[in-house]
PDB file of all heavy atoms in Angstrom:
ATOM      1  N   LEU I   1     114.234  81.619  90.245  1.00  0.00           N
ATOM      2  CA  LEU I   1     113.946  82.937  89.685  1.00  0.00           C
ATOM      3  C   LEU I   1     114.545  83.114  88.366  1.00  0.00           C
ATOM      4  O   LEU I   1     114.385  84.212  87.631  1.00  0.00           O
ATOM      5  CB  LEU I   1     114.478  84.161  90.608  1.00  0.00           C
ATOM      6  CG  LEU I   1     113.864  84.196  92.005  1.00  0.00           C
ATOM      7  CD1 LEU I   1     114.498  85.131  92.876  1.00  0.00           C
ATOM      8  CD2 LEU I   1     112.357  84.658  91.920  1.00  0.00           C
ATOM      9  N   ASN I   2     115.249  82.118  87.761  1.00  0.00           N
ATOM     10  CA  ASN I   2     115.872  82.034  86.536  1.00  0.00           C
ATOM     11  C   ASN I   2     116.959  83.168  86.493  1.00  0.00           C
ATOM     12  O   ASN I   2     117.124  83.833  85.522  1.00  0.00           O
ATOM     13  CB  ASN I   2     114.872  82.199  85.498  1.00  0.00           C
ATOM     14  CG  ASN I   2     115.450  81.819  83.944  1.00  0.00           C
ATOM     15  OD1 ASN I   2     116.325  81.041  84.060  1.00  0.00           O
ATOM     16  ND2 ASN I   2     114.929  82.451  83.004  1.00  0.00           N
ATOM     17  N   ILE I   3     117.735  83.262  87.582  1.00  0.00           N
ATOM     18  CA  ILE I   3     118.857  84.141  87.566  1.00  0.00           C
ATOM     19  C   ILE I   3     120.106  83.353  87.796  1.00  0.00           C
ATOM     20  O   ILE I   3     120.511  82.947  88.954  1.00  0.00           O
ATOM     21  CB  ILE I   3     118.715  85.056  88.773  1.00  0.00           C
ATOM     22  CG1 ILE I   3     117.437  85.986  88.614  1.00  0.00           C
ATOM     23  CG2 ILE I   3     119.999  86.149  88.873  1.00  0.00           C
ATOM     24  CD1 ILE I   3     117.238  87.018  89.719  1.00  0.00           C
ATOM     25  N   THR I   4     120.626  82.887  86.605  1.00  0.00           N
ATOM     26  CA  THR I   4     121.678  81.877  86.722  1.00  0.00           C
ATOM     27  C   THR I   4     122.870  82.166  85.754  1.00  0.00           C
ATOM     28  O   THR I   4     123.722  81.352  85.335  1.00  0.00           O
ATOM     29  CB  THR I   4     121.192  80.487  86.372  1.00  0.00           C
ATOM     30  OG1 THR I   4     120.663  80.517  85.133  1.00  0.00           O
ATOM     31  CG2 THR I   4     120.194  80.032  87.459  1.00  0.00           C
ATOM     32  N   ASP I   5     122.911  83.445  85.213  1.00  0.00           N
ATOM     33  CA  ASP I   5     123.894  83.742  84.173  1.00  0.00           C
ATOM     34  C   ASP I   5     125.253  83.749  84.622  1.00  0.00           C
ATOM     35  O   ASP I   5     126.173  83.462  84.056  1.00  0.00           O
ATOM     36  CB  ASP I   5     123.642  85.243  83.690  1.00  0.00           C
ATOM     37  CG  ASP I   5     122.174  85.327  83.152  1.00  0.00           C
ATOM     38  OD1 ASP I   5     121.597  84.449  82.543  1.00  0.00           O
ATOM     39  OD2 ASP I   5     121.619  86.372  83.357  1.00  0.00           O
ATOM     40  N   CYS I   6     125.527  84.151  85.984  1.00  0.00           N
ATOM     41  CA  CYS I   6     126.880  84.283  86.548  1.00  0.00           C
ATOM     42  C   CYS I   6     127.177  82.924  87.381  1.00  0.00           C
ATOM     43  O   CYS I   6     126.518  82.710  88.438  1.00  0.00           O
ATOM     44  CB  CYS I   6     126.970  85.443  87.524  1.00  0.00           C
ATOM     45  SG  CYS I   6     128.614  85.659  88.263  1.00  0.00           S
ATOM     46  N   SER I   7     127.990  82.141  86.888  1.00  0.00           N
ATOM     47  CA  SER I   7     128.365  80.900  87.459  1.00  0.00           C
ATOM     48  C   SER I   7     129.046  81.029  88.818  1.00  0.00           C
ATOM     49  O   SER I   7     128.904  80.203  89.685  1.00  0.00           O
ATOM     50  CB  SER I   7     129.197  79.947  86.575  1.00  0.00           C
ATOM     51  OG  SER I   7     130.432  80.622  86.205  1.00  0.00           O
ATOM     52  N   ALA I   8     129.644  82.224  89.125  1.00  0.00           N
ATOM     53  CA  ALA I   8     130.281  82.463  90.392  1.00  0.00           C
ATOM     54  C   ALA I   8     129.408  82.826  91.446  1.00  0.00           C
ATOM     55  O   ALA I   8     129.706  82.737  92.568  1.00  0.00           O
ATOM     56  CB  ALA I   8     131.309  83.521  90.306  1.00  0.00           C
ATOM     57  N   GLY I   9     128.105  83.084  91.044  1.00  0.00           N
ATOM     58  CA  GLY I   9     127.115  83.473  92.055  1.00  0.00           C
ATOM     59  C   GLY I   9     126.811  84.921  92.061  1.00  0.00           C
ATOM     60  O   GLY I   9     127.350  85.757  91.291  1.00  0.00           O
ATOM     61  N   TYR I  10     125.895  85.301  93.018  1.00  0.00           N
ATOM     62  CA  TYR I  10     125.486  86.595  93.141  1.00  0.00           C
ATOM     63  C   TYR I  10     125.568  87.169  94.668  1.00  0.00           C
ATOM     64  O   TYR I  10     125.565  86.375  95.560  1.00  0.00           O
ATOM     65  CB  TYR I  10     124.075  86.741  92.700  1.00  0.00           C
ATOM     66  CG  TYR I  10     123.937  86.499  91.149  1.00  0.00           C
ATOM     67  CD1 TYR I  10     123.796  85.218  90.722  1.00  0.00           C
ATOM     68  CD2 TYR I  10     123.729  87.545  90.293  1.00  0.00           C
ATOM     69  CE1 TYR I  10     123.573  84.952  89.253  1.00  0.00           C
ATOM     70  CE2 TYR I  10     123.436  87.307  88.950  1.00  0.00           C
ATOM     71  CZ  TYR I  10     123.572  86.051  88.527  1.00  0.00           C
ATOM     72  OH  TYR I  10     123.388  85.866  87.223  1.00  0.00           O
ATOM     73  N   LYS I  11     125.624  88.371  94.799  1.00  0.00           N
ATOM     74  CA  LYS I  11     125.440  89.192  95.971  1.00  0.00           C
ATOM     75  C   LYS I  11     124.075  89.800  96.121  1.00  0.00           C
ATOM     76  O   LYS I  11     123.564  90.325  95.196  1.00  0.00           O
ATOM     77  CB  LYS I  11     126.556  90.279  96.215  1.00  0.00           C
ATOM     78  CG  LYS I  11     127.976  89.663  96.306  1.00  0.00           C
ATOM     79  CD  LYS I  11     128.989  90.785  96.713  1.00  0.00           C
ATOM     80  CE  LYS I  11     130.404  90.225  96.859  1.00  0.00           C
ATOM     81  NZ  LYS I  11     131.366  91.212  97.299  1.00  0.00           N
ATOM     82  N   LEU I  12     123.397  89.523  97.315  1.00  0.00           N
ATOM     83  CA  LEU I  12     122.049  89.979  97.395  1.00  0.00           C
ATOM     84  C   LEU I  12     121.970  91.185  98.522  1.00  0.00           C
ATOM     85  O   LEU I  12     122.662  91.040  99.586  1.00  0.00           O
ATOM     86  CB  LEU I  12     121.111  88.849  97.843  1.00  0.00           C
ATOM     87  CG  LEU I  12     120.394  88.144  96.684  1.00  0.00           C
ATOM     88  CD1 LEU I  12     121.481  87.457  95.880  1.00  0.00           C
ATOM     89  CD2 LEU I  12     119.401  87.193  97.275  1.00  0.00           C
ATOM     90  N   TYR I  13     121.279  92.211  98.265  1.00  0.00           N
ATOM     91  CA  TYR I  13     121.013  93.262  99.171  1.00  0.00           C
ATOM     92  C   TYR I  13     119.576  93.552  99.456  1.00  0.00           C
ATOM     93  O   TYR I  13     118.724  93.446  98.507  1.00  0.00           O
ATOM     94  CB  TYR I  13     121.678  94.606  98.611  1.00  0.00           C
ATOM     95  CG  TYR I  13     123.091  94.500  98.352  1.00  0.00           C
ATOM     96  CD1 TYR I  13     123.512  93.952  97.246  1.00  0.00           C
ATOM     97  CD2 TYR I  13     124.058  94.925  99.300  1.00  0.00           C
ATOM     98  CE1 TYR I  13     124.928  93.775  96.849  1.00  0.00           C
ATOM     99  CE2 TYR I  13     125.422  94.726  99.046  1.00  0.00           C
ATOM    100  CZ  TYR I  13     125.825  94.106  97.851  1.00  0.00           C
ATOM    101  OH  TYR I  13     127.250  94.043  97.551  1.00  0.00           O
ATOM    102  N   ASP I  14     119.200  93.649 100.606  1.00  0.00           N
ATOM    103  CA  ASP I  14     117.744  94.142 100.942  1.00  0.00           C
ATOM    104  C   ASP I  14     117.702  95.617 100.855  1.00  0.00           C
ATOM    105  O   ASP I  14     118.391  96.388 101.624  1.00  0.00           O
ATOM    106  CB  ASP I  14     117.476  93.646 102.492  1.00  0.00           C
ATOM    107  CG  ASP I  14     116.018  93.893 102.729  1.00  0.00           C
ATOM    108  OD1 ASP I  14     115.513  95.003 102.529  1.00  0.00           O
ATOM    109  OD2 ASP I  14     115.296  93.008 103.308  1.00  0.00           O
ATOM    110  N   VAL I  15     116.932  96.059  99.898  1.00  0.00           N
ATOM    111  CA  VAL I  15     116.851  97.397  99.599  1.00  0.00           C
ATOM    112  C   VAL I  15     116.343  98.323 100.702  1.00  0.00           C
ATOM    113  O   VAL I  15     117.053  99.259 100.958  1.00  0.00           O
ATOM    114  CB  VAL I  15     115.944  97.658  98.354  1.00  0.00           C
ATOM    115  CG1 VAL I  15     115.739  99.111  97.996  1.00  0.00           C
ATOM    116  CG2 VAL I  15     116.563  96.942  97.066  1.00  0.00           C
ATOM    117  N   PHE I  16     115.279  97.937 101.276  1.00  0.00           N
ATOM    118  CA  PHE I  16     114.672  98.884 102.405  1.00  0.00           C
ATOM    119  C   PHE I  16     115.388  98.714 103.704  1.00  0.00           C
ATOM    120  O   PHE I  16     115.439  99.655 104.471  1.00  0.00           O
ATOM    121  CB  PHE I  16     113.207  98.683 102.431  1.00  0.00           C
ATOM    122  CG  PHE I  16     112.434  99.103 101.215  1.00  0.00           C
ATOM    123  CD1 PHE I  16     111.758  98.249 100.459  1.00  0.00           C
ATOM    124  CD2 PHE I  16     112.583 100.444 100.845  1.00  0.00           C
ATOM    125  CE1 PHE I  16     111.110  98.658  99.259  1.00  0.00           C
ATOM    126  CE2 PHE I  16     111.893 100.871  99.782  1.00  0.00           C
ATOM    127  CZ  PHE I  16     111.176 100.011  98.961  1.00  0.00           C
ATOM    128  N   GLU I  17     115.873  97.496 103.956  1.00  0.00           N
ATOM    129  CA  GLU I  17     116.688  97.425 105.191  1.00  0.00           C
ATOM    130  C   GLU I  17     118.068  97.789 105.124  1.00  0.00           C
ATOM    131  O   GLU I  17     118.744  98.011 106.105  1.00  0.00           O
ATOM    132  CB  GLU I  17     116.569  95.885 105.667  1.00  0.00           C
ATOM    133  CG  GLU I  17     115.239  95.314 105.995  1.00  0.00           C
ATOM    134  CD  GLU I  17     114.636  96.027 107.201  1.00  0.00           C
ATOM    135  OE1 GLU I  17     115.356  96.400 108.126  1.00  0.00           O
ATOM    136  OE2 GLU I  17     113.566  96.259 107.166  1.00  0.00           O
ATOM    137  N   LYS I  18     118.523  98.079 103.844  1.00  0.00           N
ATOM    138  CA  LYS I  18     119.917  98.642 103.555  1.00  0.00           C
ATOM    139  C   LYS I  18     120.937  97.597 104.156  1.00  0.00           C
ATOM    140  O   LYS I  18     121.857  98.143 104.742  1.00  0.00           O
ATOM    141  CB  LYS I  18     119.996 100.042 104.136  1.00  0.00           C
ATOM    142  CG  LYS I  18     119.029 101.085 103.448  1.00  0.00           C
ATOM    143  CD  LYS I  18     119.264 102.482 104.060  1.00  0.00           C
ATOM    144  CE  LYS I  18     118.232 103.420 103.461  1.00  0.00           C
ATOM    145  NZ  LYS I  18     118.347 104.777 103.980  1.00  0.00           N
ATOM    146  N   GLU I  19     120.728  96.305 103.844  1.00  0.00           N
ATOM    147  CA  GLU I  19     121.596  95.320 104.408  1.00  0.00           C
ATOM    148  C   GLU I  19     122.076  94.437 103.335  1.00  0.00           C
ATOM    149  O   GLU I  19     121.355  94.113 102.393  1.00  0.00           O
ATOM    150  CB  GLU I  19     120.798  94.518 105.465  1.00  0.00           C
ATOM    151  CG  GLU I  19     120.452  95.155 106.749  1.00  0.00           C
ATOM    152  CD  GLU I  19     119.734  94.208 107.701  1.00  0.00           C
ATOM    153  OE1 GLU I  19     119.329  93.099 107.238  1.00  0.00           O
ATOM    154  OE2 GLU I  19     119.452  94.672 108.858  1.00  0.00           O
ATOM    155  N   PHE I  20     123.376  94.020 103.384  1.00  0.00           N
ATOM    156  CA  PHE I  20     123.883  92.946 102.578  1.00  0.00           C
ATOM    157  C   PHE I  20     123.298  91.608 103.150  1.00  0.00           C
ATOM    158  O   PHE I  20     123.645  91.331 104.263  1.00  0.00           O
ATOM    159  CB  PHE I  20     125.409  93.028 102.610  1.00  0.00           C
ATOM    160  CG  PHE I  20     126.099  91.948 101.951  1.00  0.00           C
ATOM    161  CD1 PHE I  20     125.771  91.638 100.630  1.00  0.00           C
ATOM    162  CD2 PHE I  20     126.990  90.978 102.696  1.00  0.00           C
ATOM    163  CE1 PHE I  20     126.487  90.516  99.990  1.00  0.00           C
ATOM    164  CE2 PHE I  20     127.605  90.003 101.981  1.00  0.00           C
ATOM    165  CZ  PHE I  20     127.315  89.740 100.662  1.00  0.00           C
ATOM    166  N   VAL I  21     122.708  90.848 102.179  1.00  0.00           N
ATOM    167  CA  VAL I  21     122.098  89.575 102.666  1.00  0.00           C
ATOM    168  C   VAL I  21     123.142  88.450 102.673  1.00  0.00           C
ATOM    169  O   VAL I  21     123.097  87.537 103.526  1.00  0.00           O
ATOM    170  CB  VAL I  21     120.871  89.358 101.854  1.00  0.00           C
ATOM    171  CG1 VAL I  21     120.295  87.978 102.260  1.00  0.00           C
ATOM    172  CG2 VAL I  21     119.838  90.370 102.012  1.00  0.00           C
ATOM    173  N   GLY I  22     124.014  88.388 101.650  1.00  0.00           N
ATOM    174  CA  GLY I  22     124.999  87.449 101.491  1.00  0.00           C
ATOM    175  C   GLY I  22     125.256  87.029 100.035  1.00  0.00           C
ATOM    176  O   GLY I  22     124.602  87.674  99.105  1.00  0.00           O
ATOM    177  N   GLU I  23     126.193  86.123  99.812  1.00  0.00           N
ATOM    178  CA  GLU I  23     126.405  85.533  98.480  1.00  0.00           C
ATOM    179  C   GLU I  23     125.707  84.316  98.299  1.00  0.00           C
ATOM    180  O   GLU I  23     125.645  83.330  99.160  1.00  0.00           O
ATOM    181  CB  GLU I  23     127.925  85.318  98.395  1.00  0.00           C
ATOM    182  CG  GLU I  23     128.827  86.641  98.466  1.00  0.00           C
ATOM    183  CD  GLU I  23     130.298  86.297  98.272  1.00  0.00           C
ATOM    184  OE1 GLU I  23     130.682  85.115  98.078  1.00  0.00           O
ATOM    185  OE2 GLU I  23     131.010  87.341  98.229  1.00  0.00           O
ATOM    186  N   PHE I  24     125.107  84.202  97.146  1.00  0.00           N
ATOM    187  CA  PHE I  24     124.211  83.010  96.874  1.00  0.00           C
ATOM    188  C   PHE I  24     124.574  82.369  95.460  1.00  0.00           C
ATOM    189  O   PHE I  24     124.826  83.051  94.539  1.00  0.00           O
ATOM    190  CB  PHE I  24     122.696  83.543  96.675  1.00  0.00           C
ATOM    191  CG  PHE I  24     122.095  83.885  98.115  1.00  0.00           C
ATOM    192  CD1 PHE I  24     122.565  85.157  98.759  1.00  0.00           C
ATOM    193  CD2 PHE I  24     121.267  83.124  98.717  1.00  0.00           C
ATOM    194  CE1 PHE I  24     122.126  85.507  99.994  1.00  0.00           C
ATOM    195  CE2 PHE I  24     120.766  83.433  99.972  1.00  0.00           C
ATOM    196  CZ  PHE I  24     121.095  84.701 100.565  1.00  0.00           C
ATOM    197  N   GLN I  25     124.476  81.079  95.510  1.00  0.00           N
ATOM    198  CA  GLN I  25     124.519  80.341  94.273  1.00  0.00           C
ATOM    199  C   GLN I  25     123.119  80.031  93.744  1.00  0.00           C
ATOM    200  O   GLN I  25     122.135  80.329  94.405  1.00  0.00           O
ATOM    201  CB  GLN I  25     125.380  79.062  94.529  1.00  0.00           C
ATOM    202  CG  GLN I  25     126.706  79.118  95.117  1.00  0.00           C
ATOM    203  CD  GLN I  25     127.609  79.891  94.111  1.00  0.00           C
ATOM    204  OE1 GLN I  25     127.698  79.591  92.870  1.00  0.00           O
ATOM    205  NE2 GLN I  25     128.378  80.989  94.727  1.00  0.00           N
ATOM    206  N   SER I  26     123.019  79.299  92.620  1.00  0.00           N
ATOM    207  CA  SER I  26     121.654  79.090  92.008  1.00  0.00           C
ATOM    208  C   SER I  26     120.762  78.289  92.934  1.00  0.00           C
ATOM    209  O   SER I  26     119.481  78.562  92.942  1.00  0.00           O
ATOM    210  CB  SER I  26     121.853  78.554  90.673  1.00  0.00           C
ATOM    211  OG  SER I  26     122.409  77.180  90.790  1.00  0.00           O
ATOM    212  N   ASN I  27     121.260  77.437  93.778  1.00  0.00           N
ATOM    213  CA  ASN I  27     120.349  76.627  94.544  1.00  0.00           C
ATOM    214  C   ASN I  27     120.420  76.943  96.051  1.00  0.00           C
ATOM    215  O   ASN I  27     119.778  76.279  96.982  1.00  0.00           O
ATOM    216  CB  ASN I  27     120.818  75.114  94.444  1.00  0.00           C
ATOM    217  CG  ASN I  27     122.221  74.801  94.807  1.00  0.00           C
ATOM    218  OD1 ASN I  27     123.023  75.762  95.198  1.00  0.00           O
ATOM    219  ND2 ASN I  27     122.507  73.499  94.896  1.00  0.00           N
ATOM    220  N   THR I  28     121.112  78.053  96.365  1.00  0.00           N
ATOM    221  CA  THR I  28     121.008  78.466  97.844  1.00  0.00           C
ATOM    222  C   THR I  28     119.675  79.051  98.153  1.00  0.00           C
ATOM    223  O   THR I  28     119.143  79.810  97.532  1.00  0.00           O
ATOM    224  CB  THR I  28     122.182  79.626  98.053  1.00  0.00           C
ATOM    225  OG1 THR I  28     123.413  79.204  97.523  1.00  0.00           O
ATOM    226  CG2 THR I  28     122.211  79.926  99.451  1.00  0.00           C
ATOM    227  N   PRO I  29     119.033  78.611  99.277  1.00  0.00           N
ATOM    228  CA  PRO I  29     117.795  79.101  99.715  1.00  0.00           C
ATOM    229  C   PRO I  29     117.772  80.475  99.971  1.00  0.00           C
ATOM    230  O   PRO I  29     118.784  80.990 100.722  1.00  0.00           O
ATOM    231  CB  PRO I  29     117.368  78.156 100.914  1.00  0.00           C
ATOM    232  CG  PRO I  29     118.211  76.985 100.726  1.00  0.00           C
ATOM    233  CD  PRO I  29     119.454  77.425 100.094  1.00  0.00           C
ATOM    234  N   ILE I  30     116.842  81.234  99.662  1.00  0.00           N
ATOM    235  CA  ILE I  30     116.661  82.654 100.007  1.00  0.00           C
ATOM    236  C   ILE I  30     115.363  82.637 100.864  1.00  0.00           C
ATOM    237  O   ILE I  30     114.221  82.469 100.283  1.00  0.00           O
ATOM    238  CB  ILE I  30     116.471  83.550  98.759  1.00  0.00           C
ATOM    239  CG1 ILE I  30     117.658  83.449  97.828  1.00  0.00           C
ATOM    240  CG2 ILE I  30     116.239  85.055  99.196  1.00  0.00           C
ATOM    241  CD1 ILE I  30     117.549  84.242  96.543  1.00  0.00           C
ATOM    242  N   ASN I  31     115.586  83.030 102.156  1.00  0.00           N
ATOM    243  CA  ASN I  31     114.428  82.872 103.059  1.00  0.00           C
ATOM    244  C   ASN I  31     113.973  84.355 103.466  1.00  0.00           C
ATOM    245  O   ASN I  31     114.743  85.155 103.976  1.00  0.00           O
ATOM    246  CB  ASN I  31     114.921  82.176 104.378  1.00  0.00           C
ATOM    247  CG  ASN I  31     115.215  80.649 104.048  1.00  0.00           C
ATOM    248  OD1 ASN I  31     114.457  80.001 103.434  1.00  0.00           O
ATOM    249  ND2 ASN I  31     116.392  80.283 104.527  1.00  0.00           N
ATOM    250  N   LEU I  32     112.683  84.631 103.214  1.00  0.00           N
ATOM    251  CA  LEU I  32     112.078  85.953 103.379  1.00  0.00           C
ATOM    252  C   LEU I  32     110.877  85.869 104.325  1.00  0.00           C
ATOM    253  O   LEU I  32     110.183  84.820 104.375  1.00  0.00           O
ATOM    254  CB  LEU I  32     111.794  86.683 102.093  1.00  0.00           C
ATOM    255  CG  LEU I  32     112.875  86.779 101.087  1.00  0.00           C
ATOM    256  CD1 LEU I  32     112.230  87.322  99.801  1.00  0.00           C
ATOM    257  CD2 LEU I  32     114.058  87.656 101.550  1.00  0.00           C
ATOM    258  N   LYS I  33     110.618  86.973 104.929  1.00  0.00           N
ATOM    259  CA  LYS I  33     109.303  87.055 105.580  1.00  0.00           C
ATOM    260  C   LYS I  33     108.711  88.382 105.198  1.00  0.00           C
ATOM    261  O   LYS I  33     109.188  89.449 105.089  1.00  0.00           O
ATOM    262  CB  LYS I  33     109.550  87.210 107.201  1.00  0.00           C
ATOM    263  CG  LYS I  33     109.537  85.696 107.854  1.00  0.00           C
ATOM    264  CD  LYS I  33     109.367  85.919 109.323  1.00  0.00           C
ATOM    265  CE  LYS I  33     109.317  84.412 109.899  1.00  0.00           C
ATOM    266  NZ  LYS I  33     108.945  84.385 111.392  1.00  0.00           N
ATOM    267  N   LEU I  34     107.248  88.200 104.794  1.00  0.00           N
ATOM    268  CA  LEU I  34     106.589  89.229 104.120  1.00  0.00           C
ATOM    269  C   LEU I  34     105.449  89.833 105.144  1.00  0.00           C
ATOM    270  O   LEU I  34     104.645  88.978 105.431  1.00  0.00           O
ATOM    271  CB  LEU I  34     106.015  88.890 102.838  1.00  0.00           C
ATOM    272  CG  LEU I  34     106.870  88.752 101.631  1.00  0.00           C
ATOM    273  CD1 LEU I  34     107.533  90.056 101.352  1.00  0.00           C
ATOM    274  CD2 LEU I  34     107.819  87.639 101.725  1.00  0.00           C
ATOM    275  N   ASN I  35     105.699  90.941 105.640  1.00  0.00           N
ATOM    276  CA  ASN I  35     104.518  91.582 106.406  1.00  0.00           C
ATOM    277  C   ASN I  35     103.258  91.782 105.654  1.00  0.00           C
ATOM    278  O   ASN I  35     103.300  91.911 104.312  1.00  0.00           O
ATOM    279  CB  ASN I  35     104.999  92.816 107.098  1.00  0.00           C
ATOM    280  CG  ASN I  35     106.039  92.743 108.034  1.00  0.00           C
ATOM    281  OD1 ASN I  35     106.186  91.622 108.661  1.00  0.00           O
ATOM    282  ND2 ASN I  35     106.928  93.756 108.177  1.00  0.00           N
ATOM    283  N   PRO I  36     102.120  91.772 106.167  1.00  0.00           N
ATOM    284  CA  PRO I  36     100.888  92.012 105.536  1.00  0.00           C
ATOM    285  C   PRO I  36     100.842  93.313 104.778  1.00  0.00           C
ATOM    286  O   PRO I  36     101.299  94.307 105.231  1.00  0.00           O
ATOM    287  CB  PRO I  36      99.695  91.987 106.529  1.00  0.00           C
ATOM    288  CG  PRO I  36     100.474  91.163 107.676  1.00  0.00           C
ATOM    289  CD  PRO I  36     101.849  91.468 107.638  1.00  0.00           C
ATOM    290  N   THR I  37     100.498  93.206 103.543  1.00  0.00           N
ATOM    291  CA  THR I  37     100.429  94.387 102.484  1.00  0.00           C
ATOM    292  C   THR I  37     101.929  94.996 102.356  1.00  0.00           C
ATOM    293  O   THR I  37     101.912  96.114 101.793  1.00  0.00           O
ATOM    294  CB  THR I  37      99.525  95.526 103.015  1.00  0.00           C
ATOM    295  OG1 THR I  37      99.859  96.159 104.124  1.00  0.00           O
ATOM    296  CG2 THR I  37      98.038  94.893 103.094  1.00  0.00           C
ATOM    297  N   GLY I  38     102.895  94.258 102.687  1.00  0.00           N
ATOM    298  CA  GLY I  38     104.295  94.719 102.560  1.00  0.00           C
ATOM    299  C   GLY I  38     104.980  94.024 101.500  1.00  0.00           C
ATOM    300  O   GLY I  38     104.452  93.163 100.817  1.00  0.00           O
ATOM    301  N   ALA I  39     106.158  94.513 101.218  1.00  0.00           N
ATOM    302  CA  ALA I  39     107.035  93.992 100.163  1.00  0.00           C
ATOM    303  C   ALA I  39     108.479  93.927 100.676  1.00  0.00           C
ATOM    304  O   ALA I  39     108.959  94.772 101.466  1.00  0.00           O
ATOM    305  CB  ALA I  39     106.936  94.790  98.932  1.00  0.00           C
ATOM    306  N   VAL I  40     109.310  93.037 100.099  1.00  0.00           N
ATOM    307  CA  VAL I  40     110.737  93.074 100.163  1.00  0.00           C
ATOM    308  C   VAL I  40     111.244  93.094  98.879  1.00  0.00           C
ATOM    309  O   VAL I  40     110.847  92.476  97.947  1.00  0.00           O
ATOM    310  CB  VAL I  40     111.099  91.633 100.833  1.00  0.00           C
ATOM    311  CG1 VAL I  40     112.640  91.489 100.819  1.00  0.00           C
ATOM    312  CG2 VAL I  40     110.697  91.571 102.345  1.00  0.00           C
ATOM    313  N   MET I  41     112.201  93.974  98.725  1.00  0.00           N
ATOM    314  CA  MET I  41     112.839  94.229  97.408  1.00  0.00           C
ATOM    315  C   MET I  41     114.307  93.838  97.549  1.00  0.00           C
ATOM    316  O   MET I  41     114.997  94.321  98.407  1.00  0.00           O
ATOM    317  CB  MET I  41     112.664  95.562  96.848  1.00  0.00           C
ATOM    318  CG  MET I  41     113.320  95.805  95.456  1.00  0.00           C
ATOM    319  SD  MET I  41     112.661  97.190  94.473  1.00  0.00           S
ATOM    320  CE  MET I  41     113.043  98.601  95.506  1.00  0.00           C
TER     321      MET I  41
END
């Protein structure tokens, strides 16, 4: 996603589930499931 400015990594939050997803480095896989006509933010 070309989000690599912070070498320490990033924290990710699922906006609609209102959940903390975890801490991620640039190469950490982000695994999502998308419902039909749905979105994850």
Side-chain angles (χ1 to χ4, degrees):
L1 295 170
N2 197 27
I3 301 176
T4 58
D5 306 322
C6 180
S7 59
Y10 292 82
K11 292 185 176 183
L12 271 62
Y13 301 84
D14 186 309
V15 173
F16 293 117
E17 293 300 321
K18 300 180 181 179
E19 292 179 351
F20 172 59
V21 180
E23 296 184 356
F24 289 75
Q25 303 298 315
S26 63
N27 60 351
T28 308
I30 303 171
N31 298 308
L32 304 174
K33 274 196 174 181
L34 286 301
N35 293 333
T37 67
V40 171
M41 183 159 59

